[in-house]
Amino acid sequence: MTKLTKITAGILIALLVLGLGAELALGWMAYQRLTQAGDTLNSLREENVSLREELSGLHEEVAALIAQAQEPEDPAQEDGVRIAGEYMIRSTLPISDAYRSGDSSALSDKGKETLRMAADILESIITPEMDDYEKEEAVYIWMTENLNQDEGLLPVIPRTQADCDNPYGVLKYHNAVCVGYATTFRLFMQMLDIPCMVVHNSECYHSWDLVQLGGGWYHTDIYSDAGSSSFMHFNLTDSMQGSSQSWNTDFFPPACQTEYCYAYRSSVQETDLYRIPAALRQAIDDQSGLMALRFTEMDETGARIAEMMLNDIQNRIEYSALSNALYIYWNWMPLDQGWLLSVNLNWYNQGEEPEPEELPDEVYEKIQEAVEDAFGDMPEGYDWDSEEDLDWEEAHDWHGGYGK
Amino acid sequence: MKRVLFGLLAAVLLLAGCAAPITPTENEPMVSMYDLRTAMLAKDPSLPEMTAVSSSDENAGELFGYLSDLDYEKVEGYFLAYASDGMAYEIAVVALKDAADLPALEASLKAHVQGRVNLYKTYAPEQVAKAQAAEIVSRGRYAALIMCGDQNAVKAAFEESVQ
């Protein structure tokens, strides 16, 4: 090997070693960079996940805000309000004005017919000696007994029946949603010169009336008493109505008086708290719609005791045979002296058909004989309560004869 | 040379980053709302006569408003089955275009259930307990509202169908 060859080989080996070294160094650096990049990527991913979580939280907040903003508005007005997105509260004044003035010339044909139907009803139920309370009571009884609740409002997508939300359709077809009851009642009251307003709840899915008697206002919700005339929702105070509904109390007048409040008028003075269960039991046995007791004295302990008894009774009802028929709720109203306890008894299966009477034994025998005569070649039905296994072959033997 | 190498490495890393699943992946095709409704409703024999509407209806967007106040533009499909007589039986499923809208959808379904509870308090108190027991379950970009007798069976059918 010449010297030159040796030098060249040395240089090549050196270059190779250097190259390998450089490659290793570069590889190591690349590895380090890759690891760093991987870490960065992981941290970016983590950041992304946390950002997503944050975004999801923000989404929830925004959704809540949107839901709040999109809640049906509660307009501070009586008429022109749409209930459950379907039923419009419309003024009834043109018809009641025509009734009072005796001039119906400005009314449409529909208005004239409504006026005639309403006037005929008033003529049949109102007498001259009645005071305003008695007139209101007579109208309440006629409406709860003669009109039917239109269930069209209950389904998720309400079904609109013809004119069930105005006096024309209500008086013609005797079928009404809450708006129909409320506007028809107001029409009657206005025809009788008794001030009356149609109230809608804050969520705009229900409406009822405020009627003025002797200077005070009272809530009357005939739709909720339809079919029962229980007076459960007849002339309530704000605190009573407020136990199940909320409404614009800035716009509608307060109802705080008790003079014509039905619960107050039918309440019994009681001194012994422990009489509540017996009184309520009596009301249930009588299938009453309301039980009301007045207590002159009631301290915090007394109220707790009463609540415990009422809750216990409610639980017992819930786990009894009455659970599908009765729902109770109660309300305490402060009086000038003491408290009024009113318990509403909501009977909701009263309209159901009664159980049919048991048939005499000879009828059952005749039934069996007639069936046996015609179908005796087929086996009797399998007793599903029997412990024995069903013999399907035997059970289907009849099939062999059928169609042959 | 190093710069070139690092430049190449950076480019490779960037490309790898682009391929990573940071951005939303493409949605799986939506399950048939008709099949889903049939499967879910079949699981509860106690259901009364039910009326059903869905994204296949001509006025689907308008009808959707009875179930949820979510912008219908965000919905890929839905069905809503409810008791024809208005009692507390409802089964609904909504498929979203983007799963990120799920919290808003769930919130709107909760608001819907609360609205039904309030309505029953006034008009059918005996239905309140059933409405209050309604469940909202979600999976992926689907949310279901289940208010019926055998909710567990219906829920299982939903979860099985939208896996």
Side-chain angles (χ1 to χ4, degrees):
Chain A
M1 195 180 282
T2 61
K3 196 177 175 182
L4 186 65
T5 314
K6 279 181 184 173
I7 290 167
T8 310
I11 289 169
L12 276 172
I13 288 165
L15 277 172
L16 201 69
V17 169
L18 275 172
L20 273 169
E23 206 169 286
L24 278 171
L26 275 172
W28 174 247
M29 283 167 71
Y31 170 74
Q32 292 282 14
R33 291 281 172 150
L34 271 170
T35 313
Q36 273 176 19
D39 288 344
T40 313
L41 204 64
N42 278 338
S43 75
L44 274 171
R45 279 196 182 135
E46 277 167 18
E47 217 173 297
N48 184 35
V49 169
S50 78
L51 272 171
R52 271 174 184 253
E53 279 169 3
E54 217 173 294
L55 201 64
S56 158
L58 276 171
H59 265 293
E60 272 180 11
E61 272 179 44
V62 170
L65 281 170
I66 290 170
Q68 204 178 350
Q70 288 182 344
E71 264 177 14
E73 278 184 31
D74 179 11
Q77 62 194 56
E78 188 183 355
D79 293 319
V81 179
R82 197 174 286 280
I83 300 298
E86 296 282 329
Y87 309 108
M88 183 66 88
I89 299 171
R90 292 188 179 88
S91 171
T92 42
L93 269 177
I95 300 169
S96 54
D97 284 349
Y99 177 77
R100 286 181 300 184
S101 68
D103 178 10
S104 61
S105 57
L107 293 178
S108 64
D109 285 353
K110 213 170 170 177
K112 282 176 187 160
E113 194 177 347
T114 309
L115 174 60
R116 185 189 54 74
M117 290 187 290
D120 286 351
I121 291 159
L122 288 184
E123 201 183 317
S124 69
I125 61 172
I126 302 295
T127 54
E129 69 277 7
M130 284 179 171
D131 63 19
D132 283 353
Y133 176 81
E134 289 166 331
K135 287 175 186 172
E136 185 207 7
E137 193 180 27
V139 170
Y140 169 90
I141 291 170
W142 186 88
M143 289 184 71
T144 50
E145 287 181 353
N146 291 280
L147 303 178
N148 299 310
Q149 283 180 344
D150 185 298
E151 300 283 338
L153 187 131
L154 267 184
V156 179
I157 299 173
R159 296 185 305 264
T160 304
Q161 300 285 336
D163 287 313
C164 62
D165 61 355
N166 63 69
Y168 173 80
V170 172
L171 298 177
K172 198 174 175 80
Y173 308 114
H174 288 205
N175 186 57
V177 291
C178 62
V179 181
Y181 274 93
T183 51
T184 304
F185 182 74
R186 182 180 60 181
L187 171 66
F188 282 132
M189 291 298 103
Q190 287 171 339
M191 287 167 78
L192 294 166
D193 275 328
I194 301 170
C196 185
M197 298 176 86
V198 173
V199 192
H200 58 272
N201 68 352
S202 303
E203 296 89 354
C204 289
Y205 66 76
H206 189 49
S207 61
W208 64 94
D209 294 282
L210 264 172
V211 60
Q212 192 180 39
L213 297 164
W217 290 90
Y218 302 88
H219 297 268
T220 289
D221 182 354
I222 302 184
Y223 178 93
S224 295
D225 288 353
S228 70
S229 294
S230 64
F231 291 91
M232 219 161 74
H233 297 90
F234 185 69
N235 288 2
L236 308 184
T237 61
D238 275 353
S239 75
M240 290 168 161
Q241 184 69 355
S243 65
S244 58
Q245 300 291 347
S246 59
W247 62 95
N248 188 337
T249 49
D250 292 332
F251 177 73
F252 291 102
C256 309
Q257 296 194 19
T258 51
E259 189 182 356
Y260 294 104
C261 166
Y262 186 80
Y264 181 80
R265 285 167 79 100
S266 56
S267 65
V268 175
Q269 183 73 45
E270 187 54 77
T271 49
D272 183 3
L273 269 177
Y274 296 97
R275 282 271 312 141
I276 292 175
L280 187 49
R281 180 60 198 241
Q282 187 62 51
I284 291 171
D285 290 345
D286 294 344
Q287 297 218 336
S288 304
L290 181 77
M291 191 278 293
L293 299 172
R294 288 194 313 278
F295 294 92
T296 317
E297 286 178 10
M298 176 70 69
D299 58 12
E300 202 178 314
T301 310
R304 273 183 62 200
I305 292 167
E307 283 293 312
M308 284 170 78
M309 287 190 289
L310 288 164
N311 281 316
D312 192 5
I313 295 166
Q314 192 179 43
N315 281 338
R316 281 167 189 258
I317 290 171
E318 208 168 301
Y319 290 100
S320 75
L322 279 175
S323 65
N324 288 323
L326 176 64
Y327 172 75
I328 65 164
Y329 60 95
W330 56 91
N331 174 265
W332 292 92
M333 188 178 77
L335 301 172
D336 288 341
Q337 279 191 323
W339 290 81
L340 172 71
L341 166 67
S342 62
V343 183
N344 289 329
L345 293 89
N346 197 352
W347 299 88
Y348 41 72
N349 277 346
Q350 283 181 321
E352 277 192 0
E353 289 288 316
E355 284 286 316
E357 276 180 35
E358 190 75 10
L359 294 168
D361 286 346
E362 54 265 31
V363 175
Y364 284 113
E365 283 166 19
K366 268 184 142 179
I367 292 170
Q368 214 167 4
E369 200 182 310
V371 175
E372 186 64 26
D373 279 353
F375 291 88
D377 59 328
M378 297 179 192
E380 287 181 42
Y382 174 65
D383 177 8
W384 295 101
D385 293 328
S386 154
E387 299 277 315
E388 289 173 30
D389 288 336
L390 176 65
D391 183 345
W392 288 101
E393 260 182 45
E394 187 192 335
H396 287 119
D397 270 353
W398 63 270
H399 197 272
Y402 182 76
K404 271 190 176 174
Chain B
M1 182 65 178
K2 269 187 191 174
R3 282 185 187 171
V4 173
L5 275 172
F6 287 135
L8 280 169
L9 267 172
V12 168
L13 286 173
L14 272 173
L15 284 169
C18 287
I22 293 173
T23 51
T25 51
E26 281 292 306
N27 283 332
E28 291 286 318
M30 186 181 75
V31 298
S32 154
M33 285 293 141
Y34 175 80
D35 292 346
L36 193 53
R37 169 161 66 89
T38 310
M40 288 172 75
L41 265 64
K43 291 290 176 185
D44 187 356
S46 73
L47 290 176
E49 184 196 320
M50 303 288 275
T51 303
V53 296
S54 76
S55 38
S56 306
D57 290 321
E58 199 178 322
N59 53 344
E62 185 192 328
L63 295 173
F64 182 74
Y66 288 102
L67 173 66
S68 159
D69 56 16
L70 190 79
D71 183 0
Y72 190 60
E73 289 294 309
K74 295 177 176 176
V75 175
E76 185 170 348
Y78 80 95
F79 80 80
L80 161 64
Y82 58 94
S84 307
D85 62 1
M87 297 301 107
Y89 292 91
E90 270 179 64
I91 296 174
V93 173
V94 181
L96 291 164
K97 289 174 184 167
D98 186 346
D101 292 319
L102 203 58
L105 172 63
E106 286 171 338
S108 75
L109 293 177
K110 278 178 196 160
H112 168 78
V113 170
Q114 191 51 50
R116 299 297 295 164
V117 169
N118 292 341
L119 192 77
Y120 289 131
K121 276 182 183 168
T122 300
Y123 297 112
E126 77 281 9
Q127 300 296 314
V128 170
K130 209 191 296 166
Q132 279 173 333
E135 286 182 76
I136 291 157
V137 285
S138 48
R139 178 166 278 215
R141 60 193 175 102
Y142 297 86
L145 185 165
I146 302 169
M147 182 194 294
C148 59
D150 194 348
Q151 295 189 171
N152 284 338
V154 176
K155 189 164 69 174
F158 164 71
E159 288 173 341
E160 200 177 305
S161 302
V162 300
Q163 270 177 357

